Amino acid sequence: GQNIDQPTEMTATEGAIVQINCTYQTSGFNGLFWYQQHAGEAPTFLSYNVLDGLEEKGRFSSFLSRSKGYSYLLLKELQMKDSASYLCAVLLRKAAGNKLTFGGGTRVLVKP
Amino acid sequence: GAGVSQSPSNKVTEKGKDVELRCDPISGHTALYWYRQSLGQGLEFLIYFQGNSAPDKSGLPSDRFSAERTGGSVSTLTIQRTQQEDSAVYLCASRSRAGLAGGPPDTQYFGPGTRLTVL
């Protein structure tokens, strides 16, 4: 079966850095997405990795190691508005079409 | 439209009643997905449409759940004889194979969801 693990909750201070880890055990890996979801809102796309290495986009970076089944999302210079859930999702190759499988999400609380 | 829209935004129903949830995908998106999200949980895949056909409906939890898509656009998710455990947020997403500004190919764009409460 498919297994995607990420911590349930993390707390950090405004201005600090937080790293959210995601490990996965899947078959047919075709890329990894990170989504941000504020309470009561729709998930919004943050980043995508398909090759090993680091993708940087402003204050957010995402890293992938396919051999280790591991990714992390790095949030720098934390702001209060970064308090949200962060969802790790693996894109799987299926005969019926590519399919996203989500982890349980990591709730990040940014404190002043 | 500019984004994925869903209606109603909130639905309260009594146990045993049927409900219909609607999703309007981004114009031109051929793929459409339904997910369910319970409080504080991740997204649980329900069903996937490519055009009007559903090549993957493996996530539907029981035969009380069904979905259809017409004209390659609007989709409805129907839950018959609702149970209290059906209470959740139901999210719809659409996808285009081609990359759009702000996202690579295969990026799914989500609607705001329908919060279903079964009393």
Side-chain angles (χ1 to χ4, degrees):
Chain A
Q2 319 293 353
N3 204 36
I4 301 170
D5 291 315
Q6 51 181 130
T8 306
E9 195 169 290
M10 301 181 75
T11 302
T13 305
E14 192 175 14
I17 297 173
V18 69
Q19 177 174 316
I20 306 168
N21 296 326
C22 173
T23 58
Y24 62 90
Q25 294 169 315
T26 63
S27 56
F29 178 85
N30 207 21
L32 189 143
F33 286 81
W34 284 95
Y35 280 83
Q36 180 189 58
Q37 186 180 26
H38 285 100
E41 298 183 12
T44 55
F45 167 77
L46 276 183
S47 70
Y48 170 71
N49 296 71
V50 66
L51 300 176
D52 290 352
L54 190 68
E55 292 282 341
E56 296 187 83
K57 194 186 292 185
R59 294 189 298 114
F60 293 1
S61 304
S62 58
F63 172 83
L64 176 67
S65 168
R66 289 171 296 171
S67 62
K68 294 181 179 173
Y70 168 67
S71 172
Y72 68 72
L73 179 69
L74 194 70
L75 286 62
K76 294 179 277 191
E77 300 168 21
L78 279 172
Q79 301 176 8
M80 299 298 290
K81 67 178 181 180
D82 297 330
S83 291
S85 285
Y86 293 85
L87 307 175
C88 171
V90 174
L91 187 67
L92 302 173
R93 253 189 327 271
K94 298 283 187 184
N98 289 346
K99 179 176 174 179
L100 267 184
T101 299
F102 285 82
T106 299
R107 193 161 52 247
V108 171
L109 177 62
V110 181
K111 293 186 172 178
Chain B
V4 179
S5 60
Q6 294 185 243
S7 60
S9 54
N10 276 285
K11 177 71 178 177
V12 180
T13 190
E14 292 178 349
K15 178 181 170 182
K17 295 283 177 74
D18 298 351
V19 294
E20 257 189 22
L21 313 180
R22 176 187 168 105
C23 172
D24 279 90
I26 293 173
S27 178
H29 278 196
T30 55
L32 185 148
Y33 302 78
W34 282 99
Y35 296 89
R36 179 167 71 174
Q37 186 174 34
S38 300
L39 189 63
Q41 302 297 310
L43 274 66
E44 175 191 0
F45 168 80
L46 297 178
I47 187 169
Y48 153 60
F49 286 92
Q50 181 62 45
N52 290 337
S53 63
D56 188 352
K57 49 179 83 170
S58 61
L60 294 177
S62 75
D63 58 8
R64 295 187 295 106
F65 287 72
S66 63
E68 65 174 15
R69 189 179 186 196
T70 54
S73 181
V74 172
S75 175
T76 54
L77 177 69
T78 301
I79 309 173
Q80 295 178 306
R81 305 181 302 282
T82 51
Q83 304 293 312
Q84 287 182 331
E85 60 262 29
D86 299 336
S87 295
V89 175
Y90 289 82
L91 289 161
C92 173
S94 70
R95 163 181 73 75
S96 169
R97 285 309 308 276
L100 296 178
D106 284 314
T107 301
Q108 294 184 21
Y109 297 88
F110 286 83
T114 294
R115 180 175 299 278
L116 175 67
T117 303
V118 182
L119 301 176

